Amino acid sequence: MKHDATLRCRCGELEGTAKDVSPASVNRVICYCDDCQAYLHHLGRSDLLDAHGGTDIVQVAPAALSIHRGAERIAGLRLTPKGVYRFHSSCCNTPLGNTVGTAIPFLGIAAQGFAGSSATLDECFGEPMGKIHGKYAVGNPPEGSTKPNLRLLFRAFSLVLRWRLSGKAWPHPFFDRSTGAPRYPVTTLSPLEREALRAKCGPRPSAR
């Protein structure tokens, strides 16, 4: 069954909708990478991380998400000059969506941003299908998070291909189609700012 899931920032100034989502049309994963950890620490939103530094992420087609209130609150961030674009609300620093750009039709959204109970999240998106990048986890890596998950990789690739072929790359909530540029201001952390965040995250692989 398909659902419309409400995306809302913590203070309620911004609201959007992910339309016609279902466990079959999205991907849900727990990511422990140090970039996701660093991003939430930078925003002051470590409350969205689990005990091991994991982020519960729902991956949807860009065209599935629309912002219908508070779009003027959207701001973007890149941890490095060539890093992932990460958009959030400037009012309360709620993460709204991560994407590598327009070439790959893909948005990763922190599941906690969707209104409703965990039961509602499971109904809309299904339970998380796997855990990835556990080598960056805080403490002992969760089981199954350190080895390549071929099933998860194949599913993500299949969804992105399906979204591209079915025209769901556009409209994009964060990029302008005519120019290919972000609709909202994007800042990039300096190397020193990025490095300072590492102490708050799980160890680098070389530290193990």
Side-chain angles (χ1 to χ4, degrees), residues 11 24 32 54 74 91 101 108-109 128 133 163:
C11 71
Y32 295 94
I74 298 175
C91 45
I109 305 170
H133 300 306
W163 294 336

Side-chain angles (χ1 to χ4, degrees), residues 68-135:
H68 50 77
R69 188 177 78 229
E72 70 278 4
R73 306 282 191 182
I74 298 175
L77 181 76
R78 303 180 88 178
L79 300 181
T80 63
K82 295 184 179 181
V84 169
Y85 290 90
R86 300 171 184 272
F87 294 91
H88 62 277
S89 66
S90 61
C91 45
C92 59
N93 286 348
T94 297
L96 302 173
N98 301 336
T99 179
V100 296
T102 59
I104 301 177
F106 173 95
L107 279 181
I109 305 170
Q112 296 95 323
F114 289 100
S117 66
S118 59
T120 301
L121 289 176
D122 290 348
E123 184 177 56
C124 288
F125 308 119
E127 296 181 359
M129 292 189 64
K131 301 175 181 180
I132 59 175
H133 300 306
K135 62 187 178 182

Side-chain angles (χ1 to χ4, degrees), residues 13-151:
E13 289 291 316
L14 181 146
E15 189 171 282
T17 303
K19 293 188 65 66
D20 295 331
V21 294
S22 70
S25 67
V26 305
N27 203 25
R28 189 177 175 191
V29 63
I30 308 296
C31 180
Y32 295 94
C33 80
D34 63 342
D35 279 352
C36 283
Q37 293 183 56
Y39 176 56
L40 290 180
H41 281 294
H42 178 77
L43 293 183
R45 294 305 310 272
S46 60
D47 58 298
L48 299 178
L49 297 170
D50 68 21
H52 295 283
T55 306
D56 186 349
I57 296 175
V58 176
Q59 300 163 341
V60 305
L65 180 66
S66 59
I67 306 297
H68 50 77
R69 188 177 78 229
E72 70 278 4
R73 306 282 191 182
I74 298 175
L77 181 76
R78 303 180 88 178
L79 300 181
T80 63
K82 295 184 179 181
V84 169
Y85 290 90
R86 300 171 184 272
F87 294 91
H88 62 277
S89 66
S90 61
C91 45
C92 59
N93 286 348
T94 297
L96 302 173
N98 301 336
T99 179
V100 296
T102 59
I104 301 177
F106 173 95
L107 279 181
I109 305 170
Q112 296 95 323
F114 289 100
S117 66
S118 59
T120 301
L121 289 176
D122 290 348
E123 184 177 56
C124 288
F125 308 119
E127 296 181 359
M129 292 189 64
K131 301 175 181 180
I132 59 175
H133 300 306
K135 62 187 178 182
Y136 296 102
V138 175
N140 293 324
E143 184 178 356
S145 66
T146 59
K147 296 180 180 180
N149 188 324
L150 297 181
R151 174 170 171 264

